[in-house]
Amino acid sequence: MTENAHPILIGSDHAGYEMKEFIKQYLSQKNIPFEEAGTAQYDETDDYPLVAFKLAQKISSGEFQRGILLCGTGIGASIAANRVKGVRAALCSTPETARMSRLHNNSNVLVLGGRVTSREMVPQIINAWLEASFEGGRHQRRIEMLDSSGNIATH
Ligand code: RB5
């Protein structure tokens, strides 16, 4: 199965809920498979760390290869997701940063801000992210450093 044939896991808190629903429609139109990690209904008491950890753990375990995660700004969700080992969550606001997050960082979670990311740009950001592939090489060494906590000499 190619990378893009795997379902994308998508999740948000309440502040990302509307954009999450918009993205689900977009993915459906494009026949891009996805699964829902929540929140399934708008609920103002949602806490972004919970959905971020839930989604990130399913990426970390290998159950899903890629996720799209949202909160209001994308900041809290990315902070939370990046605490889970093996997760490289990239908060991207343009197609170019989304593309570079794949090429150089092998990002496995795309993070968007439901209240701040331009809705018009969201399809382009997602396309750029899905179409780009990790370049490996020197970037492989660097992403390995991310998971080797405490073992890297500082200059
Ligand atoms: C929720 O009000 C908001 O704080 C949250 O969605 C997110 O933007 C946090 O970083």
Side-chain angles (χ1 to χ4, degrees), residues 9 54-68 84-88 108-109:
L9 188 61
K54 178 179 171 188
L55 184 146
Q57 276 155 8
K58 289 184 182 204
I59 302 290
S60 179
S61 70
E63 191 180 337
F64 287 83
Q65 295 203 337
R66 290 203 197 184
I68 298 178
V84 179
K85 194 164 180 162
V87 170
R88 292 173 300 278
N108 46 19
V109 178

Side-chain angles (χ1 to χ4, degrees), residues 9-35:
L9 188 61
I10 181 162
S12 77
D13 72 352
H14 62 280
Y17 179 82
E18 247 187 47
M19 192 172 277
K20 171 173 68 69
E21 295 304 302
F22 170 77
I23 293 170
K24 281 164 58 182
Q25 274 181 17
Y26 176 70
L27 296 176
S28 298
Q29 279 166 16
K30 303 279 283 181
N31 287 320
I32 298 171
F34 66 88
E35 282 185 38

Side-chain angles (χ1 to χ4, degrees), residues 13-16 48 71-77 115:
D13 72 352
H14 62 280
Y48 64 82
C71 67
T73 57
I75 296 171
R115 291 174 175 162

